[in-house]
Amino acid sequence: MSTAHTHSAPHTTGHAHDAHDHHGPEKGWKRWVFATNHKDIGTMYMLFSLLMFFIGGSMAMIIRAELFQPGLQLVDPQFFNSMTTMHALIMIFGAVMPAFVGLANWMIPLQVGAPDMALPRMNNFSFWILPFAFSLLLATLFVPGGAPAGGWTMYPPLSQQNGTSFPMLIFAVHLMGASSIMGAINVVVTIMNMRAPGMSLLKMPLFVWTWLITAYLLVAVMPVLAGAVTMLLTDHYFGTTFFEAAGGGDPVMFQHIFWFFGHPEVYIMILPAFGIVSEIIPTFSRKPLFGYDAMVYATASIAFLSFIVWAHHMFTVGMPLAGQMFFMLATMLISVPTGVKVFNWTATMFKGSISFEPPMLFALSFLFLFTIGGFSGLMLAIVPADFQYHDTYFVVAHFHYVLVPGAVFAIMAGVYYWLPKWTGHMYSIKLAKVHFWVSTIFVNVLFFPQHFLGLAGMPRRIPDYSTQFADWNMVSSIGAFGFGLSQLLFAYIVISAIRGGVKASDKVWDSGTPQGLEWTLSSPPPYHSFELPPEVK
Amino acid sequence: MEREEDQVGAMAQMSKSLKYVAGAIAASLPASAAFAAWELNMTVGVTELSRDIHGLHMLIFWICVLIAVAVFGMMIYSLVKFRHSRGAVAATFDHSTKAEIIWTIIPCAILVGMAIPAAETLIKIEDTRDSQLSIKVTGYQWKWQYEYLDKNVRFFSTLNREHDRARQLKSGVDPFSVPNYLLEVDRPLVVPVGAKVRVLLTSSDVIHAWWVPAFGMKKDAIPGFVNEMWFRADKPGTYRGQCAELCGRDHGFMPVVVEVKPQAEFDAWLQEQQQAGAPAAASAAAAVTVESAAATVAKAE
C-alpha cells in the first residue's frame, strides 16, 4: 500500500528498469508475483483477506436471508449446510488469519527495526499458496455433490459423506496449514534475530510479543490439523479405519485431535488482536500501557492454557466425570489472565487523557464486546450449563462476539491506526467514524439476539426453525444485512486512502502519543524499512 | 373554534388508531405467550437436573452481570472523566503491583465459588444408577429409534408428514399455520411421570445429539459408542426438542417429542404396544435391514 502502488497502475511495459543501482520495487506484475518485500507481501495478504471477508460475508448473508423467517424460502438444506461450512472455513483461514499475517508482515520489521522479514522468499511462497488453496476450496461449490457440508470441524462420519468436494477440502486445508506454518516460522526467525540493538525481549512492542507467541502456537498445532485431515483422507480412500467404529476406529478421537488444534487456533485468532489493542489504547489515552510485564505473562499463560482445554468443545460426547471436571476447571482458569488483560487496558485509560479517533473507537468497541464474549465463554465452561448451551445459538453468539467485534474489530482498529503510515495518506476520519457507529450498532443487533435464541432452545446449523424462534431471528437477520452493507464503506475508505488523500505526517497521530519505531520512519516508510538498525535505549 | 374541532377530530382518530394498535397487541399476546416468542432466557424445565442447571445458569449469569457492572462502570467512568477534549492531563504511572495482585486473586476466588456448585450438579448428572426404565435411543439420518429395553417395544419416530410437506422448499405453507412447526413426530416417546429414566444413546450412521430442553440434558449419539444420561420428569405433558449435532441434510428436521404420562396410563400404553408389537417389532427390524441396504446402495452410487 505504499505510494508506488498507485504508480504501478499506468505502467504498461516491462523493460523500463535497466539499471540495478537502486532498491526500488520491480515494475508491473513482477513486483507482486515475485514479491520478497515485506510491505508488498503484507499488502497482498491484507487485500486477499479483505476479498475473502466479502466472499465469506456473502455466504453469511445467504444464511441470514434463509433464516429471516421460518420455512424454507431460498435454498436447499444441503446448500445451507455448505454455506455454514464454507463461511466458517473462509472467514477463519481466509479472512482473519491472513489479515493478522498481513499485519505481522507490515508491522514486525517496522516495530523491531529490521529492513525486512528474515525469510523473504518463503514469505512469497506462504502468501502465493493461499490463492490456490482458496480457489480449490471455492471450486467445490461447482463440483457434483456440492461444497463441503459437514461443518468446518469436519467431524467424521458425516464429513465422509461429502462427494467430490472431500479430497479438495482436505488438500485445501493442507495448503492453508503449510502457508500458516511458513508464515509463523518467518515471524519467529525475524523476531528472534532481527531486533534492533538494545531491544531486549521485554522491550518489544506488545503486538510483536503477541505475534511471537501466536507463531509458536501455529507451529505447534497446524501439523496436528494436517494429521487429522490426512487420517480422514486415508479412511476415505485407503481402507484405514482411524475414525470408523465398524473397523475398530473411534469417531470421538477425531474430535480430540481436531480440538487439540482447534482451541489454540481460537487464540491464534485473538492474541494478535490483544497486541493491536495494547498498541492503540495507550496512544489515545496519552499514557503508557499499564502492566506491560503482566500483559506479556498473561499472553503466555493464555497460550499455555490453550493446550489443555480442548475437550470443552465436546462435553456432550460422554467423557469420564474426572475428565469433565479437569476441562471445566482449566477452562475457567483462562478467565484469570484474560481478566488481567481487560483490567490492564482499563487501568491504562484510567487517569489518562482520552480522545476518540477511529482506531481508538474500534479498540474500545473491542474492549466492551470482547468482554461480553468472555462472559458467555465463562458460562459455557460450566459443564452442567453447557449441556444446555452446547450446539445452540448461544454458542454461535459467543464465538461471533469474540471473533467479530473481537478479532475483526481489532484488525479494523489496526488498519485505521497504521493505514496512514502505510499509504502516506490520511483517510476520511468522518467516514471512518460513520463506519464505526454503523458496525458497532449492527453487530449487536446481529449477534446479541442469538444469545436469546440459544437459551430458548434453538440448535445451531439448522436451515429452518420452529415458529417461536421467528422474532429474534428476524431481528438478527436485519442486523446481519446492516452489518454486511456497512463493510462496503470500510472497503471504500481503505481503497480511497490507497489512491490518495491528505498527506499524513511521520508520526500520523500527532495529538496522541504513539510509541514505537514505526513512527520514526517516513509515511509511507522507505521500501527497505531500516537500512541501518536504529538504536533502542 | 374550527381549529379546536379539528384537534378534537384528530385526537379521536388518534385514539381510534391507538385502540386498534392496542387491540392488535392484545390479540397477538396470547399467541406470543403460547409460542414463547421474544423469549430471552433459558426456561425452567420439569426435571430436577434441569432446575439445578437453570439455577447454575442464573448464578453464573448474575456473577457475570456484577463483574460487568464493575468493569464496564470503570471503563465508562474513565471514558467520561478523563477526556482529552475536557482538558484531562494524563498521569504517568504504568503499573501497580498491589492492584495487579488483587485483580488476579479476586477472580480466582470467584471461580472457586462457581466451580463448587457446578461440580455438585455434575456429579448428580453423572449418577445413572437405580433407574426404573431404560430406553435405547438410536440416531438415524434423519429419525430416532426408541427401544424399551426388556419390554419388547421398539419403534421409529419421524417428523410428522404434514410438517414435512410444509418444510419443503417453497412449499407455500405458512409455518405459522402449522402448530408446533417442525417439532411434531408421528410416534412420540412415552415415559411415566416421576420415574428415573435412563437413556442409552447410540447411532447407526453419523453423530446425532438427543436433546429435550425441558429435561436439561443433551448428549451425543455416536456410532460404535453407547452414551448414558438420565431424567426424571415431574409433570405430565408433552415436551419437545430436536437433534442438536449437525448430521447432514435434514439435521433440522428430526425432532424429539416426549409424552410424560401418569404411571397407570403409561402401563396401559406399554401393554398396548406390546400386544400390537410382536409382529410390528419384527417388521420394524426388517425395515431397518432394507433401509440400511438402501443406504449402502446409495453410498456406493
Side-chain angles (χ1 to χ4, degrees):
Chain A
M1 288 189 199
S2 64
T3 40
H5 186 158
T6 47
H7 298 158
S8 66
H11 171 82
T12 46
T13 51
H15 56 79
H17 79 111
D18 41 7
H20 292 276
D21 56 340
H22 66 93
H23 280 75
E26 285 256 21
K27 298 288 190 304
W29 59 271
K30 282 186 175 174
R31 172 177 175 185
W32 305 104
V33 173
F34 301 125
T36 50
N37 182 283
H38 74 103
K39 300 188 190 72
D40 290 347
I41 294 173
T43 302
M44 288 195 292
Y45 261 113
M46 301 212 63
L47 291 177
F48 178 80
S49 151
L50 190 63
L51 176 67
M52 288 298 137
F53 182 59
F54 282 105
I55 294 177
S58 321
M59 292 173 176
M61 293 302 112
I62 294 173
I63 294 169
R64 283 316 320 174
E66 180 53 64
L67 292 173
F68 186 74
Q69 57 187 44
L72 285 174
Q73 292 85 20
L74 303 171
V75 296
D76 181 85
Q78 183 71 14
F79 185 74
F80 181 91
N81 291 345
S82 290
M83 286 295 101
T84 54
T85 305
M86 295 285 278
H87 164 73
L89 287 167
I90 286 170
M91 286 304 202
I92 293 168
F93 293 103
V96 174
M97 289 172 69
F100 281 131
V101 181
L103 285 166
N105 257 296
W106 253 103
M107 297 319 299
I108 288 174
L110 296 188
Q111 291 193 320
V112 301
D116 205 308
M117 294 295 276
L119 307 165
R121 284 184 205 285
M122 194 166 80
N123 207 3
N124 173 294
F125 192 36
S126 72
F127 170 76
W128 278 108
I129 286 177
L130 286 182
F132 292 94
F134 283 90
S135 304
L136 195 60
L137 186 62
L138 287 168
T140 59
L141 286 165
F142 308 102
V143 299
W152 82 278
T153 47
M154 299 175 278
Y155 283 3
L158 183 60
S159 60
Q160 301 284 5
Q161 294 182 348
N162 286 336
T164 318
S165 69
F166 178 78
M168 297 167 79
L169 167 68
I170 304 290
F171 192 46
V173 170
H174 274 145
L175 288 175
M176 294 167 200
S179 162
S180 294
I181 291 169
M182 281 190 269
I185 290 172
N186 213 346
V187 166
V188 172
V189 176
T190 306
I191 295 174
M192 287 311 196
N193 295 291
M194 296 179 70
R195 297 194 309 277
M199 185 180 276
S200 61
L201 283 177
L202 280 172
K203 278 185 185 163
M204 295 194 309
L206 260 169
F207 179 68
V208 177
W209 250 118
T210 52
W211 240 113
L212 179 64
I213 292 169
T214 302
Y216 277 110
L217 289 181
L218 277 166
V219 172
V221 301
M222 279 296 166
V224 177
L225 175 65
V229 298
T230 306
M231 285 191 269
L232 283 181
L233 192 75
T234 61
D235 271 8
H236 200 89
Y237 292 107
F238 305 114
T240 59
T241 54
F242 290 112
F243 308 128
E244 273 175 34
D250 180 350
V252 178
M253 185 174 75
F254 176 86
Q255 299 187 21
H256 283 290
I257 300 172
F258 181 87
W259 287 113
F260 187 81
F261 144 80
H263 201 77
E265 168 70 17
V266 172
Y267 292 110
I268 287 164
M269 291 191 285
I270 203 67
L271 293 184
F274 290 165
I276 294 167
V277 170
S278 303
E279 304 279 324
I280 292 171
I281 289 180
T283 296
F284 299 102
S285 302
R286 295 166 181 77
K287 189 162 153 280
L289 182 70
F290 186 91
Y292 171 93
D293 291 7
M295 287 300 225
V296 172
Y297 298 140
T299 311
S301 318
I302 293 172
F304 168 73
L305 287 171
S306 77
F307 285 106
I308 55 166
V309 297
W310 75 89
H312 70 213
H313 294 269
M314 37 188 290
F315 279 138
T316 60
V317 297
M319 268 182 283
L321 181 61
Q324 297 184 46
M325 292 276 188
F326 172 80
F327 286 109
M328 173 170 79
L329 296 176
T331 304
M332 291 169 78
L333 213 52
I334 292 185
S335 60
V336 176
T338 312
V340 165
K341 285 191 161 288
V342 173
F343 299 143
N344 282 1
W345 288 320
T346 310
T348 304
M349 297 193 299
F350 184 72
K351 294 200 172 169
S353 176
I354 303 166
S355 57
F356 300 93
E357 287 81 351
M360 183 64 167
L361 287 173
F362 273 95
L364 288 172
S365 198
F366 168 93
L367 195 51
F368 279 87
L369 302 179
F370 174 80
T371 305
I372 290 179
F375 286 135
S376 55
L378 182 59
M379 295 172 80
L380 283 159
I382 310 295
V383 184
D386 182 74
F387 288 145
Q388 283 282 34
Y389 307 142
H390 182 80
D391 267 333
T392 68
Y393 259 84
F394 190 78
V395 178
V396 178
H398 160 72
F399 68 70
H400 279 99
Y401 258 86
V402 291
L403 279 177
V404 183
V408 172
F409 275 22
I411 291 166
M412 286 172 174
V415 169
Y416 281 130
Y417 189 48
W418 287 308
L419 188 62
K421 168 59 66 184
W422 300 334
T423 61
H425 305 134
M426 184 49 94
Y427 50 86
S428 161
I429 296 274
K430 203 189 252 174
L431 276 185
K433 284 189 176 176
V434 172
H435 173 234
F436 164 77
W437 282 110
V438 287
S439 296
T440 297
I441 290 167
F442 280 122
V443 89
N444 284 295
V445 176
L446 164 55
F447 293 120
F448 209 81
Q450 296 186 356
H451 291 113
F452 307 146
L453 286 170
L455 292 175
M458 179 169 162
R460 59 191 284 210
R461 293 166 161 172
I462 54 173
D464 192 6
Y465 47 83
S466 190
T467 46
Q468 77 260 35
F469 306 126
D471 303 300
W472 287 123
N473 266 304
M474 191 177 279
V475 172
S476 179
S477 288
I478 290 167
F481 303 144
F483 185 77
L485 283 176
S486 357
Q487 301 324 308
L488 295 172
L489 189 56
F490 178 67
Y492 173 78
I493 292 166
V494 170
I495 291 165
S496 308
I498 294 172
R499 290 171 152 240
V502 185
K503 188 94 188 67
S505 73
D506 292 357
K507 228 175 115 191
V508 180
W509 306 106
D510 290 294
S511 68
T513 53
Q515 299 292 315
L517 293 173
E518 72 262 39
W519 310 107
T520 64
L521 292 172
S522 57
S523 300
Y527 198 58
H528 293 287
S529 313
F530 289 97
E531 304 250 1
L532 291 171
E535 193 76 34
V536 178
K537 285 183 284 295
Chain B
M1 276 304 276
E2 220 174 80
R3 279 185 78 184
E4 230 166 76
E5 261 169 34
D6 269 6
Q7 272 180 351
V8 171
M11 270 172 65
Q13 213 159 27
M14 237 165 74
S15 74
K16 214 186 212 171
S17 56
L18 269 178
K19 252 183 216 158
Y20 175 74
V21 171
I25 291 170
S28 68
L29 261 183
S32 57
F35 287 113
W38 301 110
E39 180 62 61
L40 297 176
N41 197 3
M42 190 188 285
T43 45
V44 186
V46 293
T47 64
E48 187 193 353
L49 292 185
S50 73
R51 282 190 296 271
D52 285 357
I53 289 172
H54 182 266
L56 206 51
H57 158 72
M58 291 315 291
L59 171 75
I60 311 298
F61 172 74
W62 285 115
I63 291 175
C64 286
V65 168
L66 282 181
I67 301 172
V69 168
V71 175
F72 290 158
M74 201 61 211
M75 287 177 193
I76 291 166
Y77 172 78
S78 303
L79 292 177
V80 172
K81 185 84 193 290
F82 308 112
R83 300 176 82 120
H84 190 61
S85 58
R86 290 172 64 190
V89 179
T92 52
F93 66 87
D94 63 2
H95 73 284
S96 153
T97 313
K98 203 195 277 175
E100 289 174 69
I101 289 173
I102 290 173
W103 66 49
T104 310
I105 288 177
I106 291 180
C108 287
I110 297 174
L111 290 186
V112 173
M114 291 178 174
I116 291 169
E120 277 172 10
T121 309
L122 189 56
I123 289 167
K124 208 190 279 185
I125 287 171
E126 290 297 317
D127 183 5
T128 52
R129 290 172 298 177
D130 305 325
S131 61
Q132 283 123 299
L133 180 66
S134 290
I135 299 171
K136 184 175 152 214
V137 177
T138 309
Y140 288 79
Q141 285 176 316
W142 292 276
K143 54 177 158 281
W144 298 102
Q145 188 191 38
Y146 298 120
E147 183 179 348
Y148 292 71
L149 294 183
D150 306 323
K151 302 276 193 286
N152 204 22
V153 171
R154 181 169 67 180
F155 57 87
F156 281 99
S157 178
T158 319
L159 179 69
N160 174 295
R161 282 186 171 229
E162 193 196 329
H163 293 241
D164 196 43
R165 266 195 298 277
R167 67 100 178 170
Q168 297 302 321
L169 186 58
K170 299 187 180 106
S171 67
V173 181
D174 178 13
F176 289 93
S177 70
V178 185
N180 298 312
Y181 179 59
L182 296 185
L183 299 182
E184 194 71 83
V185 292
D186 53 356
R187 295 185 72 183
L189 179 70
V190 181
V191 296
V193 71
K196 183 166 182 175
V197 180
R198 186 171 66 131
V199 181
L200 298 169
L201 290 145
T202 188
S203 167
S204 79
D205 38 49
V206 302
I207 302 174
H208 304 266
W210 198 81
W211 183 35
V212 178
F215 296 167
M217 281 294 300
K218 77 167 70 68
K219 201 145 229 180
D220 291 355
I222 304 170
F225 282 74
V226 178
N227 269 334
E228 261 187 323
M229 61 179 261
W230 69 274
F231 65 86
R232 182 189 281 121
D234 298 338
K235 247 171 54 186
T238 304
Y239 303 102
R240 297 169 200 281
Q242 56 192 114
C243 178
E245 176 69 48
L246 179 63
C247 59
R249 185 175 184 276
D250 286 350
H251 162 56
F253 310 103
M254 50 184 293
V256 175
V257 179
V258 182
E259 273 181 18
V260 178
K261 292 190 170 176
Q263 187 69 46
E265 274 180 50
F266 171 77
D267 290 338
W269 174 85
L270 193 66
Q271 209 167 16
E272 195 181 305
Q273 299 302 311
Q274 282 164 337
Q275 277 160 8
S283 70
V288 173
T289 328
V290 169
E291 235 164 55
S292 61
T296 319
V297 170
K299 205 178 172 188
E301 277 171 7

